[in-house]
Amino acid sequence: NPTADYVNCNIIDQSVGNVRIELIDLQGKNQIIIPEVVPGETKQLNLNSLSSGVYILSVITGDKRYIHRIIKE
């Protein structure tokens, strides 16, 4: 972090079931949504079409939400 083009997400924990990934701008608007990610699978988020700035990566597993800040150059 920072990144210019791609972010890779890999859900390692096989016990969580399906996972949802969201990339949200600081105004709260969803920029990228991946509704179902199978644990163990790597998903690549293409940020090329987004403006430079700070985004929030949200990984949702059942009743838990993990947040990570992404800086796009």
Side-chain angles (χ1 to χ4, degrees):
N1 214 354
T3 185
D5 45 21
Y6 296 96
V7 171
N8 292 315
C9 295
N10 187 3
I11 311 302
I12 298 169
D13 188 350
Q14 299 286 329
S15 68
V16 297
N18 283 337
V19 175
R20 178 181 172 98
I21 297 174
E22 300 175 347
L23 189 70
I24 306 163
D25 65 22
L26 292 182
Q27 287 73 42
K29 182 178 177 190
N30 284 324
Q31 297 296 320
I32 297 174
I33 298 174
I34 303 175
E36 290 189 29
V37 177
V38 177
E41 185 177 63
T42 298
K43 287 292 183 180
Q44 188 174 69
L45 283 71
N46 183 344
L47 308 183
N48 284 319
S49 65
L50 301 178
S51 300
S52 297
V54 178
Y55 295 85
I56 304 300
L57 177 67
S58 178
V59 179
I60 304 155
T61 62
D63 61 346
K64 296 181 181 172
R65 181 181 297 252
Y66 302 92
I67 305 293
H68 188 74
R69 181 178 59 142
I70 303 294
I71 300 171
K72 164 74 163 69
E73 293 182 329

